[in-house]
Amino acid sequence: MRNYWQDLKKEFAGYNSGKLMKDLMAGMTVAAVALPLALAFGVSSGATAAAGLITAIVSGFSISLLGGAFYQISGPTGAMAAILISIIAQYGISGVFTATIMAGILLVLAGVLHLGRLTAYIPMPVIAGFTSGISVIIALGQLDNLFGVTSTGDSALEKFISYFSGAFSPNWISLAIGMLVILFMVFYPKKWNAVVPASLIAIILATAFVMLFHLKVNLVGEIPSSLILSERFSFAEFDLSSIRNLLAPAVSVAALGVVESLLCGASAGRMTGVRLNNDRELVAQGVGNILSPLLGGIPATAAIARTSVAIKSGAQTRLTGIFHSVILLISMLALGPIMAQIPLSALAGVLLVTAWRMNEWDTIKYIFSRKFEGAILKFLATMAATILFDLTIAILIGVVIALILLVSRLSKLEVNYDRVDPSRLRNQKTPLSPVYDHAEVVYITGAVIFANTQIITSMAERLSDKSAVLFSMRGASYMDISGAQAFLELLRDLQEKGIPVYICGVSNGVKEIMDRSGIVSCIGQENFYWSVERALNQ
């Protein structure tokens, strides 16, 4: 708390009416972007548009107030909505409320235990893969709203497959509205988007069109006139036995909250030059997710789209996020009847464009155009696992594949041989000892570990007729007990043949393993040198 107050004083140092107006204008701009997205993500999650709006208000306010940097704007996101679909299908909306509170507690614990740095260990292709997987789930989940139909199945993939198992009769008016929204957002000038978001204009036009011509399409429905929804977390209905069943979904929600919020903070930190306090941000995200279900909201995370809009709109302090929440609350109370008339197909159009744009196309193009096979495998495996399973399994699969590929690359041992050439020695004033007339330098690069014992053992035949052997091990990064045993056997074999052995340029870590494994005592401390040149000049 002491650090929090110190950071607040620094953030608001020199604050004046000019900065206040910048925060207010930035908050209004972010609210314009957040309003259609909050409604859309609420619907796409399987909850309601009202739940998405409450989430944006509650989490936006509380997380902005307590967050790890001034620029983070939180609310419902497409990635979170995607994983909520399966949770609602299996446990209902009450299960989502409970899982969200459990996830909030896990996020607070993650912040207290300083786990914010763990995202640094998730490879870039894995993150890109799960983002693309989430975008596919979002797109598939919006087909019902786009076509004005009702499919069957628990997951977005099952619902998509159900289109081909029975009569498919789309509402063509609904489809036309959705397609017009998509086209409007695609061709809307970017310079105008900075002033008024295309998604907001598209929603307004679609709603006005439906109300004017009384079109029969599915609508958002009732928007509450209260900040507290009738359908919310209730302690009276809470069952301790549900904790065990909802632990896995809660972990998924918390894991996504960690990944999405901290990656958003890292990106925004590069834009502003202000570093995110990861652990404080996780605590703030936890508090926001604990409060949201108490009022009827769903899980929230920091949102890169809204955060970047805040920064580009001139946000000065965390008041931008607070103003954005207040403006959303005023909009809900004042414009609720009009919001209720928004066609779901228009929201589907907004989300389909959002799903396309949330893909990290620059990263995808880079790894595929450069033909990084390992990165491509991690990307595709994580994307497929995200679509077929869930976030935690997808991240786990991606990280495991990354670790296997990393171990495979690190375990590669490169061995090069070179005869001793006196002309290459610097400051050589006296002739080399005759022992080096037919000597060989062996350059070892990589990890001397269990996977490479066969390579080490096979050196014996190559070196059996040399007058001396100098092992240059400056490139040996690591040695384990299996590698040490194989190397010791090689040295003993050379000694039995009467071949002098010298070890050069070994690191302290590898030297310690050699000492403990008996290699140093086998050839003698005096036969260790800083470099091959020093060994030859002995």
Side-chain angles (χ1 to χ4, degrees):
M1 288 301 297
R2 189 186 309 114
N3 292 336
Y4 173 70
W5 286 115
Q6 289 175 351
D7 288 346
L8 275 186
K9 290 179 181 178
K10 183 178 178 181
E11 183 178 322
F12 284 92
Y15 198 73
N16 52 36
S17 58
K19 291 186 176 181
L20 176 63
M21 287 304 299
K22 287 184 178 180
D23 278 336
L24 180 59
M25 295 305 296
M28 293 176 64
T29 304
V30 175
V33 174
L35 179 59
L37 293 179
L39 296 171
F41 290 141
V43 173
S44 66
S45 68
T48 62
L53 196 54
I54 292 295
T55 305
I57 294 170
V58 175
S59 64
F61 186 94
S62 58
I63 297 174
S64 291
L65 181 64
L66 303 173
F70 76 90
Y71 42 72
Q72 292 279 80
I73 307 294
S74 297
T77 63
M80 190 65 77
I83 67 172
L84 291 182
I85 295 173
S86 60
I87 299 177
I88 289 179
Q90 190 170 358
Y91 301 103
I93 190 64
S94 61
V96 169
F97 294 148
T98 304
T100 303
I101 292 179
M102 292 170 63
I105 295 172
L106 292 175
L107 285 167
V108 171
L109 291 175
V112 171
L113 297 175
H114 305 292
L115 300 182
R117 68 196 71 174
L118 292 181
T119 52
Y121 297 97
I122 302 178
M124 172 265 292
V126 173
I127 295 172
F130 103 78
T131 302
S132 293
I134 290 296
S135 72
V136 172
I137 293 175
I138 292 172
L140 293 177
Q142 289 308 301
L143 294 181
D144 274 10
N145 290 334
L146 180 67
F147 290 110
V149 298
T150 301
S151 56
T152 58
D154 294 334
S155 67
L157 191 60
E158 290 177 355
K159 290 181 177 181
F160 176 71
I161 295 174
S162 72
Y163 290 147
F164 304 96
S165 60
F168 178 65
S169 179
N171 182 328
W172 296 108
I173 297 177
S174 178
L175 178 60
I177 291 173
M179 294 304 299
L180 287 173
V181 167
I182 292 173
L183 292 173
F184 183 87
M185 291 185 66
V186 170
F187 292 103
Y188 190 78
K190 290 184 178 180
K191 61 181 180 180
W192 294 0
N193 203 60
V195 180
V196 183
S199 57
L200 182 62
I201 298 297
I203 292 296
I204 292 174
L205 292 176
T207 304
F209 191 74
V210 168
M211 294 177 67
L212 181 64
F213 293 99
H214 304 287
L215 300 177
K216 293 183 179 181
V217 294
N218 295 329
L219 305 177
V220 164
E222 182 182 359
I223 297 294
S225 58
S226 170
L227 187 59
I228 303 176
L229 300 183
S230 58
E231 194 172 36
R232 62 186 186 275
F233 177 81
S234 172
F235 287 99
E237 300 176 0
F238 180 67
D239 183 5
L240 290 176
S241 62
S242 64
I243 293 179
R244 183 177 64 255
N245 297 329
L246 290 169
L247 182 59
V251 170
S252 295
V253 172
L256 179 57
V258 171
V259 172
E260 195 164 14
S261 297
L262 297 190
L263 290 179
C264 174
S267 175
R270 289 191 294 269
M271 295 170 65
T272 61
V274 178
R275 185 176 179 182
L276 178 74
N277 185 317
N278 287 355
D279 296 325
R280 187 189 302 156
E281 179 67 21
L282 292 183
V283 172
Q285 292 289 336
V287 172
N289 279 284
I290 291 172
L291 294 176
S292 181
L294 298 179
L295 301 179
I298 55 179
T301 69
I304 186 61
R306 277 156 271 183
T307 298
S308 62
V309 168
I311 294 170
K312 293 175 182 178
S313 300
Q316 300 294 304
T317 69
R318 63 190 64 231
L319 286 179
T320 294
I322 293 174
F323 285 146
H324 129 272
S325 296
V326 173
I327 292 167
L328 286 178
L329 175 60
I330 295 172
S331 301
M332 181 184 77
L333 298 177
L335 304 175
I338 295 177
M339 290 185 191
Q341 301 300 312
I342 296 175
L344 290 179
S345 58
L347 293 180
V350 170
L351 285 181
L352 286 170
V353 175
T354 302
W356 173 264
R357 290 175 176 173
M358 72 183 290
N359 284 279
E360 299 180 22
W361 293 114
D362 289 341
T363 299
I364 295 170
K365 180 180 178 181
Y366 180 77
I367 62 177
F368 276 87
S369 63
R370 304 279 177 163
K371 298 180 181 179
F372 292 119
E373 296 178 355
I376 292 173
L377 176 60
K378 286 180 278 188
F379 171 82
L380 293 177
T382 306
M383 179 179 174
T386 302
I387 297 171
L388 298 175
F389 306 111
D390 62 28
L391 170 74
T392 48
I393 295 177
I395 292 290
L396 181 61
I397 289 175
V399 171
V400 168
I401 291 174
L403 288 175
I404 292 173
L405 294 174
L406 179 63
V407 170
S408 176
R409 290 192 180 99
L410 292 180
S411 64
K412 183 179 180 180
L413 190 68
E414 184 177 343
V415 180
N416 294 298
Y417 301 90
D418 195 7
R419 66 179 181 84
V420 173
D421 184 359
S423 65
R424 294 167 58 185
L425 298 176
R426 294 170 295 178
N427 302 321
Q428 183 67 24
K429 298 179 181 179
T430 58
L432 290 180
S433 171
V435 74
Y436 297 124
D437 289 345
H438 191 50
E440 190 96 346
V441 181
V442 182
Y443 297 92
I444 297 179
T445 304
V448 186
I449 59 175
F450 62 92
N452 300 316
T453 54
Q454 184 61 39
I455 297 175
I456 298 167
T457 304
S458 65
M459 294 183 197
E461 183 177 353
R462 166 72 182 259
L463 302 173
S464 61
D465 61 343
K466 305 303 176 183
S467 60
V469 177
L470 300 94
F471 289 98
S472 177
M473 303 190 68
R474 199 174 300 279
S477 57
Y478 178 72
M479 176 178 284
D480 69 358
I481 184 60
S482 299
Q485 283 183 325
F487 195 65
L488 180 59
E489 291 176 8
L490 170 64
L491 298 180
R492 286 173 175 169
D493 185 69
L494 295 174
Q495 285 181 328
E496 289 176 1
K497 293 180 172 64
I499 301 173
V501 176
Y502 308 95
I503 297 180
C504 310
V506 66
S507 67
N508 292 332
V510 175
K511 177 73 176 294
E512 181 184 354
I513 297 295
M514 288 183 169
D515 190 18
R516 293 169 59 187
S517 62
I519 293 175
V520 175
S521 60
C522 174
I523 70 168
Q525 178 66 47
E526 68 278 7
N527 291 318
F528 280 80
Y529 292 90
W530 175 246
S531 66
V532 171
E533 186 173 2
R534 289 189 183 183
L536 294 173
N537 286 326
Q538 61 180 312

